[in-house]
Amino acid sequence: MQDDVKARNSQLIRALYEDWLSHGRFEELQDSIADDYVGPNGERGAAGFATTMNGLRSAFPDIRFQVEDLIAEPDKVAVRWRWQAIHAGEFRGLEASHRRVENTGIAIYHLRHGKIVRSWLETDRLGALQQIGALPAGVGASSPRSN
């Protein structure tokens, strides 16, 4: 029984990235996001989730996610992903650079009764900002130690 739940939850999260987010099919999320969903930035419900993702897709309209790893428990799924896109629209107040960007991240989804109720996200925002030219490439790099 638990293996069935893990498999269904894993399929839902894979579809979230590879089908819905990569192709902007947010209407399909309505049945998979709980009304009481809370996102990493406090967004609520399916509408809050879609608003966040629409912002990302408007900045990177050709975004394509690749799921690299999925690890499932009966009530949680962790996913490691990568996406690639051209920065073609405003992103966090920054005008389009028209540069190709590759980004990586890890998210954890808490699911209840086949719906996402909570998510946490860690992504390489520094790397994305460097790739679009908003920050110098050396920012955040470790410096060599002097002896």
Side-chain angles (χ1 to χ4, degrees):
M1 180 70 140
Q2 282 190 352
D3 287 339
D4 292 341
V5 172
K6 287 181 188 181
R8 278 194 307 273
N9 288 345
S10 293
Q11 288 171 345
L12 177 109
I13 299 305
R14 183 174 298 281
L16 171 71
Y17 284 91
E18 294 179 349
D19 297 333
W20 304 329
L21 300 180
S22 286
H23 300 288
R25 294 189 212 137
F26 301 119
E27 66 282 353
E28 296 181 34
L29 285 172
Q30 297 298 321
D31 295 332
S32 300
I33 306 287
D35 292 339
D36 60 343
Y37 166 80
V38 179
N41 297 312
E43 57 272 41
R44 303 269 178 182
F49 188 96
T51 296
T52 299
M53 297 317 301
N54 276 326
L56 185 63
R57 284 195 56 82
S58 68
F60 302 95
D62 65 338
I63 194 168
R64 291 295 179 264
F65 282 87
Q66 297 168 307
V67 171
E68 304 216 334
D69 287 301
L70 275 173
I71 302 168
E73 291 297 325
D75 65 339
K76 288 193 174 96
V77 176
V79 58
R80 185 174 65 89
W81 49 257
R82 171 180 311 280
W83 61 254
Q84 297 176 341
I86 301 292
H87 177 217
E90 184 180 307
F91 178 65
R92 299 184 182 251
L94 301 166
E95 291 187 31
S97 66
H98 303 287
R99 294 181 179 180
R100 176 161 274 307
V101 177
E102 183 172 317
N103 193 256
T104 58
I106 296 173
I108 300 172
Y109 292 90
H110 181 200
L111 295 99
R112 185 174 53 235
H113 307 298
K115 292 189 176 196
I116 300 169
V117 295
R118 185 86 166 95
S119 64
W120 300 269
L121 173 67
E122 293 293 328
T123 183
D124 181 15
R125 287 188 186 97
L126 176 61
L129 292 171
Q130 289 171 329
Q131 290 174 67
I132 64 175
L135 295 172
V139 171
S142 59
S143 58
R145 295 181 186 213
S146 57
N147 294 331

